[in-house]
Coordinates of all heavy atoms in Angstrom, one line a residue:
P10 N -22.1 -25.8 -83.6 CA -22.0 -25.5 -85.0 C -23.3 -25.8 -85.8 O -23.4 -25.3 -86.9 CB -20.9 -26.4 -85.5 CG -20.9 -27.5 -84.6 CD -21.3 -27.0 -83.2
G11 N -24.2 -26.6 -85.3 CA -25.3 -27.0 -86.1 C -25.1 -28.4 -86.7 O -24.0 -29.0 -86.5
S12 N -26.1 -28.9 -87.3 CA -26.1 -30.3 -87.7 C -25.4 -30.6 -89.1 O -25.5 -29.8 -90.0 CB -27.6 -30.8 -87.8 OG -27.7 -32.1 -88.2
M13 N -24.8 -31.8 -89.1 CA -24.3 -32.4 -90.4 C -25.6 -32.6 -91.3 O -26.6 -33.0 -90.8 CB -23.6 -33.7 -90.1 CG -23.1 -34.4 -91.3 SD -22.3 -36.0 -90.8 CE -20.8 -35.5 -90.0
L14 N -25.4 -32.5 -92.6 CA -26.5 -32.8 -93.5 C -26.6 -34.3 -93.6 O -25.7 -35.0 -93.7 CB -26.2 -32.2 -94.9 CG -26.1 -30.7 -94.9 CD1 -25.7 -30.2 -96.3 CD2 -27.3 -30.0 -94.5
P15 N -27.9 -34.8 -93.6 CA -28.1 -36.2 -93.7 C -27.8 -36.7 -95.2 O -27.9 -35.8 -96.1 CB -29.5 -36.4 -93.3 CG -30.2 -35.1 -93.6 CD -29.1 -34.1 -93.3
Y16 N -27.6 -37.9 -95.4 CA -27.4 -38.5 -96.7 C -28.7 -39.2 -97.2 O -29.3 -40.0 -96.4 CB -26.2 -39.5 -96.7 CG -26.0 -40.3 -97.9 CD1 -25.7 -39.6 -99.1 CD2 -26.1 -41.7 -97.9 CE1 -25.4 -40.4 -100.3 CE2 -25.9 -42.4 -99.1 CZ -25.6 -41.8 -100.3 OH -25.3 -42.5 -101.4
E17 N -29.1 -39.0 -98.4 CA -30.3 -39.7 -98.9 C -29.9 -40.6 -100.1 O -29.1 -40.2 -101.0 CB -31.3 -38.6 -99.3 CG -31.8 -37.8 -98.2 CD -33.0 -36.9 -98.6 OE1 -33.5 -37.1 -99.7 OE2 -33.3 -36.1 -97.8
E18 N -30.5 -41.8 -100.1 CA -30.3 -42.7 -101.2 C -31.5 -43.6 -101.4 O -32.0 -44.2 -100.4 CB -29.0 -43.6 -100.9 CG -28.7 -44.6 -102.0 CD -27.5 -45.4 -101.6 OE1 -26.4 -44.8 -101.5 OE2 -27.6 -46.7 -101.5
N19 N -32.0 -43.6 -102.6 CA -33.2 -44.4 -102.9 C -34.4 -44.1 -102.0 O -35.1 -45.0 -101.5 CB -32.9 -45.9 -102.9 CG -31.9 -46.2 -104.0 OD1 -31.9 -45.7 -105.1 ND2 -31.0 -47.2 -103.7
G20 N -34.6 -42.8 -101.6 CA -35.7 -42.4 -100.8 C -35.5 -42.7 -99.3 O -36.4 -42.5 -98.5
I21 N -34.3 -43.2 -98.9 CA -34.0 -43.5 -97.5 C -33.0 -42.4 -97.0 O -32.0 -42.1 -97.7 CB -33.4 -44.9 -97.3 CG1 -34.5 -45.9 -97.8 CG2 -33.1 -45.1 -95.9 CD1 -33.9 -47.3 -97.8
T22 N -33.2 -41.9 -95.8 CA -32.2 -41.0 -95.2 C -31.3 -41.7 -94.2 O -31.8 -42.4 -93.4 CB -33.0 -39.8 -94.5 OG1 -33.9 -39.2 -95.5 CG2 -32.1 -38.8 -94.0
Y23 N -30.0 -41.4 -94.4 CA -29.0 -42.0 -93.5 C -28.3 -41.0 -92.7 O -28.1 -39.9 -93.1 CB -28.0 -42.8 -94.3 CG -28.6 -44.0 -95.1 CD1 -29.1 -43.8 -96.4 CD2 -28.7 -45.2 -94.6 CE1 -29.6 -44.9 -97.2 CE2 -29.2 -46.3 -95.3 CZ -29.6 -46.1 -96.6 OH -30.2 -47.2 -97.3
A24 N -27.8 -41.4 -91.5 CA -26.9 -40.6 -90.7 C -25.8 -41.5 -90.1 O -25.8 -42.7 -90.3 CB -27.7 -39.8 -89.6
T25 N -24.9 -40.9 -89.3 CA -23.8 -41.6 -88.8 C -24.0 -42.9 -88.2 O -23.3 -43.9 -88.5 CB -23.0 -40.7 -87.8 OG1 -22.8 -39.4 -88.4 CG2 -21.7 -41.3 -87.5
P26 N -25.0 -43.1 -87.4 CA -25.2 -44.5 -86.8 C -25.5 -45.5 -87.8 O -25.2 -46.7 -87.6 CB -26.4 -44.3 -85.8 CG -27.1 -43.1 -86.2 CD -26.0 -42.2 -86.8
D27 N -26.1 -45.1 -88.9 CA -26.4 -46.1 -90.0 C -25.0 -46.6 -90.6 O -25.0 -47.8 -91.0 CB -27.2 -45.5 -91.1 CG -28.6 -45.0 -90.6 OD1 -29.3 -45.8 -90.0 OD2 -28.9 -43.8 -90.7
L28 N -24.0 -45.8 -90.6 CA -22.7 -46.3 -91.1 C -22.1 -47.3 -90.1 O -21.6 -48.4 -90.6 CB -21.7 -45.1 -91.2 CG -20.3 -45.4 -91.6 CD1 -20.3 -46.1 -92.9 CD2 -19.5 -44.1 -91.6
K29 N -22.3 -47.1 -88.8 CA -21.8 -48.1 -87.9 C -22.5 -49.4 -88.0 O -21.9 -50.5 -88.0 CB -21.9 -47.6 -86.4 CG -21.0 -46.5 -86.1 CD -21.1 -46.1 -84.6 CE -20.1 -45.0 -84.2 NZ -20.2 -44.7 -82.7
E30 N -23.9 -49.3 -88.2 CA -24.7 -50.5 -88.3 C -24.4 -51.3 -89.6 O -24.6 -52.5 -89.7 CB -26.1 -50.2 -88.1 CG -26.5 -49.7 -86.7 CD -27.9 -49.4 -86.4 OE1 -28.8 -49.7 -87.3 OE2 -28.2 -48.8 -85.3
S31 N -24.0 -50.5 -90.6 CA -23.7 -51.2 -91.9 C -22.5 -52.1 -91.8 O -22.3 -53.0 -92.6 CB -23.4 -50.1 -93.0 OG -22.1 -49.5 -92.8
I32 N -21.6 -51.9 -90.7 CA -20.5 -52.8 -90.5 C -21.0 -54.2 -90.2 O -20.6 -55.2 -90.8 CB -19.6 -52.3 -89.3 CG1 -19.0 -51.0 -89.6 CG2 -18.5 -53.3 -89.1 CD1 -18.4 -50.3 -88.4
G33 N -22.0 -54.3 -89.3 CA -22.6 -55.6 -89.0 C -23.4 -56.1 -90.2 O -23.4 -57.4 -90.4
A34 N -24.1 -55.2 -90.9 CA -24.9 -55.7 -92.1 C -23.9 -56.3 -93.1 O -24.3 -57.3 -93.8 CB -25.6 -54.5 -92.7
Y35 N -22.8 -55.7 -93.3 CA -21.8 -56.2 -94.3 C -21.2 -57.5 -93.8 O -21.1 -58.5 -94.6 CB -20.7 -55.2 -94.5 CG -19.5 -55.7 -95.4 CD1 -19.8 -55.9 -96.7 CD2 -18.3 -55.8 -94.9 CE1 -18.7 -56.4 -97.5 CE2 -17.2 -56.3 -95.7 CZ -17.5 -56.5 -97.0 OH -16.5 -57.0 -97.8
R36 N -21.0 -57.6 -92.5 CA -20.5 -58.9 -91.9 C -21.5 -60.0 -92.1 O -21.1 -61.1 -92.3 CB -20.2 -58.6 -90.4 CG -19.8 -59.9 -89.6 CD -18.5 -60.4 -89.9 NE -18.2 -61.6 -89.1 CZ -18.5 -62.8 -89.5 NH1 -19.1 -63.1 -90.6 NH2 -18.2 -63.9 -88.7
A37 N -22.8 -59.7 -92.0 CA -23.8 -60.7 -92.1 C -24.2 -61.0 -93.5 O -25.1 -61.8 -93.8 CB -25.0 -60.2 -91.3
G38 N -23.6 -60.3 -94.5 CA -23.9 -60.5 -95.9 C -25.2 -59.8 -96.4 O -25.7 -60.2 -97.4
K39 N -25.7 -58.9 -95.6 CA -26.9 -58.2 -96.0 C -26.6 -57.1 -97.0 O -27.6 -56.6 -97.7 CB -27.6 -57.6 -94.7 CG -28.0 -58.6 -93.7 CD -28.7 -58.0 -92.5 CE -29.2 -59.0 -91.5 NZ -29.9 -58.4 -90.4
I40 N -25.4 -56.5 -97.1 CA -25.1 -55.6 -98.1 C -23.7 -56.0 -98.7 O -22.9 -56.7 -98.1 CB -24.9 -54.1 -97.5 CG1 -23.9 -54.0 -96.4 CG2 -26.3 -53.6 -97.1 CD1 -23.6 -52.6 -96.0
D41 N -23.5 -55.6 -100.0 CA -22.3 -56.0 -100.6 C -21.2 -55.0 -100.5 O -21.4 -53.9 -99.9 CB -22.5 -56.3 -102.1 CG -23.1 -55.1 -102.9 OD1 -22.9 -54.0 -102.4 OD2 -23.7 -55.3 -104.0
E42 N -20.0 -55.3 -100.9 CA -18.8 -54.4 -100.8 C -19.0 -53.1 -101.5 O -18.7 -52.0 -100.9 CB -17.6 -55.1 -101.4 CG -16.3 -54.2 -101.4 CD -15.9 -53.7 -100.1 OE1 -16.0 -54.4 -99.1 OE2 -15.4 -52.5 -100.0
T43 N -19.7 -53.1 -102.6 CA -19.9 -51.8 -103.3 C -20.8 -50.9 -102.5 O -20.5 -49.7 -102.4 CB -20.6 -52.1 -104.7 OG1 -19.8 -52.9 -105.5 CG2 -20.9 -50.8 -105.4
T44 N -21.9 -51.4 -101.9 CA -22.8 -50.6 -101.1 C -22.1 -50.1 -99.8 O -22.2 -49.0 -99.4 CB -24.0 -51.4 -100.7 OG1 -24.7 -51.8 -101.9 CG2 -25.0 -50.6 -99.8
F45 N -21.3 -51.0 -99.2 CA -20.6 -50.7 -98.0 C -19.6 -49.6 -98.3 O -19.5 -48.6 -97.5 CB -19.8 -51.9 -97.5 CG -19.2 -51.8 -96.1 CD1 -19.8 -51.0 -95.1 CD2 -18.1 -52.5 -95.8 CE1 -19.2 -50.9 -93.9 CE2 -17.5 -52.4 -94.5 CZ -18.1 -51.6 -93.6
S46 N -18.9 -49.6 -99.4 CA -17.9 -48.6 -99.8 C -18.7 -47.3 -100.0 O -18.2 -46.2 -99.6 CB -17.2 -49.0 -101.0 OG -16.3 -48.0 -101.4
R47 N -19.8 -47.3 -100.7 CA -20.6 -46.1 -100.9 C -21.1 -45.5 -99.6 O -21.0 -44.2 -99.5 CB -21.7 -46.4 -101.9 CG -22.5 -45.2 -102.4 CD -23.5 -45.5 -103.5 NE -24.6 -46.4 -103.0 CZ -24.7 -47.7 -103.3 NH1 -23.8 -48.3 -104.0 NH2 -25.7 -48.4 -102.8
F48 N -21.5 -46.3 -98.7 CA -21.9 -45.8 -97.4 C -20.7 -45.1 -96.7 O -20.9 -44.0 -96.1 CB -22.4 -46.9 -96.5 CG -23.9 -47.3 -96.9 CD1 -24.4 -48.4 -96.2 CD2 -24.6 -46.6 -97.8 CE1 -25.7 -48.8 -96.5 CE2 -25.9 -47.0 -98.1 CZ -26.5 -48.1 -97.5
R49 N -19.6 -45.7 -96.7 CA -18.4 -45.2 -96.0 C -18.1 -43.8 -96.6 O -17.7 -42.9 -95.9 CB -17.2 -46.1 -96.2 CG -17.2 -47.4 -95.4 CD -15.9 -48.0 -95.3 NE -15.3 -48.3 -96.5 CZ -15.3 -49.5 -97.2 NH1 -16.0 -50.5 -96.6 NH2 -14.7 -49.7 -98.3
Q50 N -18.2 -43.6 -97.9 CA -17.9 -42.4 -98.5 C -18.9 -41.3 -98.4 O -18.6 -40.1 -98.5 CB -17.6 -42.6 -100.0 CG -16.4 -43.5 -100.3 CD -16.3 -44.0 -101.7 OE1 -17.0 -43.4 -102.6 NE2 -15.6 -45.0 -102.0
N51 N -20.2 -41.6 -98.2 CA -21.3 -40.7 -98.3 C -22.1 -40.4 -97.1 O -22.8 -39.4 -97.0 CB -22.2 -41.0 -99.5 CG -21.4 -41.0 -100.8 OD1 -21.0 -39.9 -101.2 ND2 -21.2 -42.1 -101.4
I52 N -22.3 -41.4 -96.2 CA -23.2 -41.2 -95.1 C -22.9 -40.0 -94.2 O -23.8 -39.3 -93.8 CB -23.4 -42.5 -94.3 CG1 -24.3 -43.5 -95.0 CG2 -23.9 -42.2 -92.9 CD1 -24.5 -44.8 -94.3
C53 N -21.6 -39.8 -93.9 CA -21.2 -38.6 -93.2 C -21.1 -37.5 -94.3 O -20.0 -37.4 -94.9 CB -19.9 -38.8 -92.4 SG -20.1 -40.1 -91.1
A54 N -22.2 -36.8 -94.6 CA -22.3 -36.1 -95.8 C -21.7 -34.7 -95.8 O -21.5 -34.1 -96.9 CB -23.8 -36.0 -96.2
S55 N -21.4 -34.1 -94.6 CA -20.9 -32.8 -94.6 C -20.2 -32.5 -93.2 O -20.2 -33.4 -92.4 CB -22.0 -31.8 -94.8 OG -22.9 -31.7 -93.7
C56 N -19.7 -31.3 -93.1 CA -19.3 -30.9 -91.7 C -20.6 -30.7 -90.8 O -21.7 -30.8 -91.3 CB -18.5 -29.6 -91.8 SG -16.8 -29.9 -92.4

């Protein structure tokens, strides 16, 4: 089908593996709940 569109935020491009890695980042206190929630909603940006 072709590629999912990547997600961009503050000049950084994210894709699906970044969402998985954000689980560990949230667990380690590197990102807050607001950022984690935004990643969950947006990193997988399209079909």
